[in-house]
Amino acid sequence: MNERAAPLVELRDVHKSYVSGARPLHVLKGINLAVERGEILSIVGPSGAGKSTLLHVMGALDRPDAGSVRLEGEDLFALGENARARIRNRSIGFVFQFYHLLPEFTALENVLMPAMVYGAGPFRDRGEAAARAAELLSMVGIEGRMAHKPSELSGGEQQRVAVARALVNGPRLVLADEPSGNLDTGASAELLALILDLNARSGQTFVIVTHEEEIARRAHRRVRIRDGALE
Ligand SMILES: Nc1ncnc2c1ncn2[C@@H]1O[C@H](COP(=O)(O)OP(=O)(O)O)[C@@H](O)[C@H]1O
Ligand SMILES: [Mg+2]
């Protein structure tokens, strides 16, 4: 396959069920989706439609029951767990709906974490990684609160720390699950501006699950999921 011509991410006939209770719940029912390099794609759809599940499978956090997920032509679930984890850490950034910051660490340490998982990540050493983490925290407007723990930050501030953490390794793909779900209008507009700016400046690709019309409208493309299938 010509990798340069391949989409950044490509899902082919992806199925995923959860088994909890008497019968399995078929959540993703044959998803086909390609995301191009430099694209901002929004995913919209009702609660329970499978948006979070789709994002987790796309980011190789959850294995599909059938179908394939390719990143730059590489079939992620054909790789061993270590190789997959490495790609996830270096090439994919996640912004989770409820932040998932580590409570016992400061904002700066939380942002630094993905860089330190494998040595110093893409950086020469911890100092260089810490400098980048601090730069990202300034960019998201947290420069005065880098030494604060999550419990000492507002919801909007925690979300911005989570965004900085997702970006620290310079991932080609950023996946965000309702990133403005817990933000007020002002913080939500700032987050959108940051995403648009990063995309324009560094060509990072974003896939954003959102209920916000403004975010969906400013994305390059919008897909709708209903009952586990794209419309
Ligand atoms: N870990 C899980 N175990 C069992 N059921 C789950 C799990 N995660 C999600 N589900 C169910 O799968 C369906 C889709 O969930 P989800 O992908 O979170 O939807 P959305 O993000 O669109 O609201 C829902 O019915 C949800 O209850
Ligand atoms: Mg969800």
Side-chain angles (χ1 to χ4, degrees):
M1 179 190 283
N2 179 350
E3 283 198 18
R4 296 193 66 80
L8 181 65
V9 197
E10 189 171 22
L11 280 71
R12 287 196 201 149
D13 201 23
V14 163
H15 288 260
K16 174 83 185 166
S17 296
Y18 290 114
V19 184
S20 67
R23 59 195 186 91
L25 182 66
H26 197 178
V27 176
L28 300 180
K29 300 173 180 171
I31 300 280
N32 290 291
L33 179 64
V35 185
E36 301 301 331
R37 289 179 175 75
E39 188 171 25
I40 303 177
L41 175 73
S42 73
I43 299 176
V44 300
S47 177
K51 302 182 298 298
S52 295
T53 304
L54 175 58
L55 217 59
H56 290 171
V57 168
M58 195 182 288
L61 288 169
D62 267 352
R63 177 182 286 275
D65 302 324
S68 63
V69 180
R70 289 187 162 76
L71 184 72
E72 302 187 302
E74 182 101 68
D75 185 343
L76 295 180
F77 290 96
L79 297 169
E81 180 54 48
N82 287 347
R84 186 164 49 251
R86 226 165 234 284
I87 289 180
R88 201 160 50 210
N89 182 259
R90 291 291 172 83
S91 303
I92 306 175
F94 289 92
V95 182
F96 297 99
Q97 187 173 0
F98 300 108
Y99 327 135
H100 296 315
L101 298 176
L102 298 169
E104 66 275 38
F105 293 96
T106 66
L108 184 72
E109 288 164 345
N110 266 281
V111 174
L112 202 45
M113 207 62 75
M116 304 312 294
V117 170
Y118 297 106
F123 305 99
R124 269 203 309 271
D125 51 35
R126 186 185 169 96
E128 193 180 270
R132 178 61 181 156
E135 186 181 25
L136 282 166
L137 280 167
S138 299
M139 214 162 86
V140 298
I142 304 290
E143 61 272 29
R145 298 184 187 79
M146 294 193 200
H148 288 50
K149 301 222 169 121
S151 62
E152 300 161 343
L153 299 170
S154 73
E157 288 168 343
Q158 289 181 51
Q159 182 62 304
R160 283 181 277 159
V161 173
V163 170
R165 180 185 55 184
L167 297 172
V168 72
N169 284 344
R172 272 160 287 185
L173 174 65
V174 180
L175 304 174
D177 196 356
E178 305 196 26
S180 61
N182 302 289
L183 301 186
D184 61 33
T185 314
S188 174
E190 279 174 27
L191 178 62
L192 175 60
L194 174 67
I195 289 169
L196 294 171
D197 183 55
L198 287 167
N199 172 261
R201 277 200 296 167
S202 57
Q204 270 172 319
T205 303
F206 288 84
V207 177
I208 309 169
V209 169
T210 188
H211 285 119
E212 291 248 352
E213 178 55 28
E214 180 65 5
I215 294 180
R217 197 174 64 74
R218 299 290 293 277
H220 301 147
R221 182 161 65 106
R222 147 181 3 197
V223 295
R224 189 175 297 276
I225 182 170
R226 183 178 293 277
D227 194 21
L230 295 180
E231 288 183 347

